[in-house]
Every structure is written in structure tokens, then in C-alpha cells.
Amino acid sequence: MPTMTEDALFKALLKNKPPQQPQKPPAAHPVPAKETFRTAPAAQPAESYEMEEITAKPPVKPVQADLVVESIKNLNSSVNAMYGLIKTVIVPVLVLILIIGIAILVRIK
């Protein structure tokens, strides 16, 4: 079976293109001959109620400055504790690992 290039295949398809049929519009739904509409009965007038305006507002709690200051102090002490832990434990361990790694690389050579 001979192989065809893309161009030859495309030209062959263009030559042998089947004729296109015109598109038909979609079938419309049949419309009933006559529709009867009933009129709705007249709406009854709505009852009106008098509404009281609420003038009292819920009490607002005053800001408790002592609790806010205490929370900030607790946060500050927690941050300082983490900084101290990093400074005294984590950084020296990482430096020790780095020194040991360099020593191993030097000994291998």
C-alpha cells in the first residue's frame, strides 16, 4: 500500500468531499389553536400594622485594656522564647552539621 503525504491526502479529501445538505431549521413546537387565559381575582388590600421603632441599642462592652496588654505581653514572651531557642540550639546544630559535612568531603579527597 503506497503511503501518501499529508498534502496529497488533504487534496484527495477536498476532491472527494461529499455534497453538503442545507441545514434545516429545528422543528417548532406546535402552537395550540386558541389559548384561554383566566383573569386572576382582584387582590385583597393588605392589612397595615404599625411598627414600633427600636430606640434601645444593645450595650457595648467597653474595651478591657488590661486584657489586651496582658495578651501582647504573653505574645512577646513567646516570640522571645522561640528566638532564644533558635539562637541557642538550632543554629549551633546546623553549624556543627555543616562543619562535619565539610570535614567528610575533605577527608574523601
Side-chain angles (χ1 to χ4, degrees):
M1 182 172 164
T3 58
M4 299 178 68
T5 63
E6 286 184 36
D7 293 334
L9 184 62
F10 183 69
K11 288 178 184 177
L13 286 174
L14 282 178
K15 285 182 185 177
N16 299 329
K17 185 168 71 169
Q20 290 187 352
Q21 298 174 355
Q23 292 182 349
K24 296 179 183 177
H29 297 292
V31 179
K34 185 176 183 185
E35 290 185 21
T36 58
F37 295 103
R38 289 189 231 162
T39 58
Q44 300 291 332
E47 296 179 17
S48 61
Y49 295 100
E50 291 183 20
M51 192 165 205
E52 293 181 16
E53 286 188 29
I54 300 174
T55 55
K57 295 183 181 177
V60 178
K61 294 181 181 178
V63 176
Q64 298 174 350
D66 296 338
L67 292 177
V68 174
V69 170
E70 189 67 29
S71 296
I72 291 173
K73 285 181 182 177
N74 288 339
L75 178 64
N76 192 17
S77 66
S78 297
V79 169
N80 287 339
M82 289 303 297
Y83 175 72
L85 179 69
I86 290 172
K87 186 176 172 184
T88 59
V89 176
I90 296 176
V91 171
V93 168
L94 289 176
V95 170
L96 183 65
I97 291 172
L98 180 65
I99 291 171
I100 292 172
I102 292 172
I104 291 173
L105 286 175
V106 168
R107 276 194 164 175
I108 291 174
K109 290 182 180 181

